[in-house]
Amino acid sequence: MKFIDKWKLILNSYSSVMKEISMYGSSQVIIQGSSFLAITMVSRYLGPTNLGLYSFAQSYMSTSLVIIGGFDFFYSWQLAKSTDRHNVVKNYLLQKLSVMTIILLPAIIFAYISFPKDVFYLSLATFIPIIFYPFTAFWTYAQIDKRAKLVSVAGSTAAITSLIIKAVLVYIHAPLIAFAFMAGFDLIIGSLLVAIVFLSTKYWRSLLT
């Protein structure tokens, strides 16, 4: 009987893992497919010159966030081993906001001094949505807490939403700066959706106030 019970436990565990993997896998198909369609559509609309400026502004933003990426890795490690994950999330939000201020302000000042005026405005547009980047803490928490369904649905919804917005921008012949803004918005939309789900509960709202 012990042998049978042990195998039942293994099979149940295997079934749970496969369910999570299938959720993540399905989500990645939607995310990658939407991203490919968006890149193709935006590239054709912008043309070589504007696409180059758009890519430069996006790269400058990504370079400025490299140090924050290391901070995210440390936070993931802290969150995984902690027995009080809720307070870790709270502290991380405050710490990341401070770190971002220290990093992004010099990056913006450097862009203002060094870049042509139009390129500076494009770079600034990519940085504006990054104000909400600390909310990626909720995304990491959801992953560590094994919220596969939440992460998958949020990721898929974010990708489809981004694709629809970019299609609308192309349709209305939006200026380049609107696409630069979307480059930053793409980084935080999924995390914002997860944060909204958590903050819709009284417990999380009381914890962060």
Side-chain angles (χ1 to χ4, degrees):
M1 289 296 294
K2 289 184 178 180
F3 178 79
I4 295 175
D5 291 338
K6 183 177 180 180
W7 271 102
K8 284 183 178 180
L9 183 63
I10 293 174
L11 289 174
N12 288 334
S13 176
Y14 178 78
S15 175
S16 177
V17 171
M18 290 304 298
K19 184 179 180 180
E20 291 190 11
I21 290 175
S22 65
M23 286 182 181
Y24 283 126
S26 301
S27 176
Q28 282 303 308
V29 170
I30 295 173
I31 292 171
Q32 296 302 323
S34 299
S35 177
F36 176 77
L37 291 174
I39 291 172
T40 303
M41 178 175 53
V42 171
S43 299
R44 286 178 61 85
Y45 171 73
L46 294 180
T49 301
N50 284 337
L51 182 61
L53 293 172
Y54 169 80
S55 298
F56 177 82
Q58 191 175 29
S59 297
Y60 183 66
M61 174 194 63
S62 300
T63 301
S64 302
L65 294 177
V66 167
I67 296 177
I68 297 178
F71 191 70
D72 287 340
F73 177 80
F74 175 75
Y75 161 69
S76 300
W77 175 71
Q78 289 283 94
L79 192 59
K81 71 170 188 170
S82 176
T83 56
D84 188 9
R85 292 176 176 174
H86 299 107
N87 277 319
V88 173
V89 173
K90 179 181 179 179
N91 293 333
Y92 172 73
L93 284 168
L94 298 175
Q95 292 171 6
K96 193 167 187 178
L97 184 60
S98 301
V99 171
M100 283 182 57
T101 302
I102 294 171
I103 293 172
L104 295 185
L105 279 180
I108 292 172
I109 293 172
F110 177 81
Y112 178 76
I113 296 172
S114 306
F115 298 164
K117 190 174 182 180
D118 56 341
V119 178
F120 164 71
Y121 285 130
L122 288 178
S123 300
L124 185 61
T126 63
F127 282 128
I128 290 174
I130 303 302
I131 296 171
F132 298 99
Y133 196 70
F135 285 98
T136 55
F138 288 101
W139 180 274
T140 306
Y141 170 78
Q143 290 179 315
I144 298 294
D145 204 44
K146 298 181 180 179
R147 306 288 186 92
K149 184 176 181 179
L150 174 59
V151 172
S152 300
V153 172
S156 300
T157 303
I160 294 172
T161 301
S162 177
L163 176 62
I164 292 172
I165 293 174
K166 288 174 182 176
V168 171
L169 292 178
V170 169
Y171 179 76
I172 65 175
H173 301 288
L176 176 58
I177 196 168
F179 293 94
F181 178 86
M182 279 302 301
F185 187 64
D186 282 342
L187 293 180
I188 52 95
I189 182 171
S191 298
L192 283 179
L193 292 175
V194 173
I196 289 171
V197 171
F198 283 121
L199 294 176
S200 63
T201 64
K202 185 177 180 180
Y203 174 78
W204 276 102
R205 289 197 303 272
S206 63
L207 183 68
L208 298 179
T209 54

